[in-house]
Amino acid sequence: GENVEQHPSTLSVQEGDSAVIKCTYSDSASNYFPWYKQELGKRPQLIIDIRSNVGEKKDQRIAVTLNKTAKHFSLHITETQPEDSAVYFCAASSMNRDDKIIFGKGTRLHILP
Amino acid sequence: DGGITQSPKYLFRKEGQNVTLSCEQNLNHDAMYWYRQDPGQGLRLIYYSQIVNDFQKGDIAEGYSVSREKKESFPLTVTSAQKNPTAFYLCASSIAGTSNGYTFGSGTRLTVV
């Protein structure tokens, strides 16, 4: 089955700097890669996703890149703000097979003042 | 709660007891999922269901049971066979096969006392 590895487990950046979180996946059949943000005590919220036919996607300060050959994808947050502090999860799924999403273990992002 | 409701928010169980966690959605989603969240472990899949009266085991199904008698409802029973049930449980739903990610419920925190 699919296995998703996520690094780093904790990341601290100065406010205004960029943050990068990296993930790898094992199943070459995976074709959908969502990213979720979870604030303390709250439910995960989908912030951006990318499909296998696209190499990069951007939404304001957030961007995701995908390298299918290397089986890795990354989340980039630019001009970080205090409200970006949260736990971020990458995930992978094969929507051609079943819809279950396999998650990485998460990255706790701290934005330092 | 964004169309998917979990109850109760907090649940205390004595050792040896079975408990049932409720998950109801009014989004007309076909697929529903149960995840368990432990610190540093990310979200691990317990069970999922893509259609009424059918469900599949996830990665950590031992000690849990589910039913899917109605499209709107996917209750999870934590049985006495689950050795370490204290965790945060998240229910999610999605439109099957559309690669649109999940909508999560607000979660149930289960504590064994």
Side-chain angles (χ1 to χ4, degrees), chain A residues 12-19 61 77-81 84 111:
Chain A
S12 297
V13 300
Q14 273 325 115
E15 182 178 347
D17 288 350
S18 296
R61 296 186 297 108
I77 306 174
T78 59
E79 301 173 7
T80 52
Q81 300 170 4
D84 295 329
I111 306 301

Side-chain angles (χ1 to χ4, degrees), chain A:
Chain A
E2 177 64 276
N3 182 50
V4 177
E5 298 285 341
Q6 182 171 349
H7 300 280
S9 57
T10 305
L11 178 62
S12 297
V13 300
Q14 273 325 115
E15 182 178 347
D17 288 350
S18 296
V20 180
I21 300 170
K22 298 183 178 182
C23 291
T24 60
Y25 63 98
S26 60
D27 189 349
S28 57
S30 290
N31 55 12
Y32 175 64
F33 306 92
W35 286 86
Y36 287 82
K37 175 183 180 182
Q38 187 179 29
E39 297 176 0
L40 191 62
K42 299 201 175 170
R43 76 189 79 188
Q45 300 269 15
L46 179 69
I47 56 172
I48 195 167
D49 55 14
I50 191 167
R51 290 163 176 76
S52 58
N53 58 345
V54 175
E56 184 174 357
K57 183 177 178 180
K58 189 173 181 179
D59 182 4
Q60 299 182 13
R61 296 186 297 108
I62 294 173
V64 58
T65 58
L66 172 64
N67 183 328
K68 282 216 70 175
T69 302
K71 295 201 192 77
H72 66 70
F73 55 115
S74 301
L75 178 72
H76 304 253
I77 306 174
T78 59
E79 301 173 7
T80 52
Q81 300 170 4
E83 55 265 35
D84 295 329
S85 292
V87 178
Y88 291 81
F89 293 98
C90 63
S93 176
S94 171
M95 291 297 176
N96 296 331
R97 198 160 53 198
D98 57 40
D99 296 321
K100 63 179 183 179
I101 295 179
I102 303 301
F103 289 82
K105 292 187 176 181
T107 295
R108 184 171 297 278
L109 176 62
H110 299 276
I111 306 301
L112 306 173

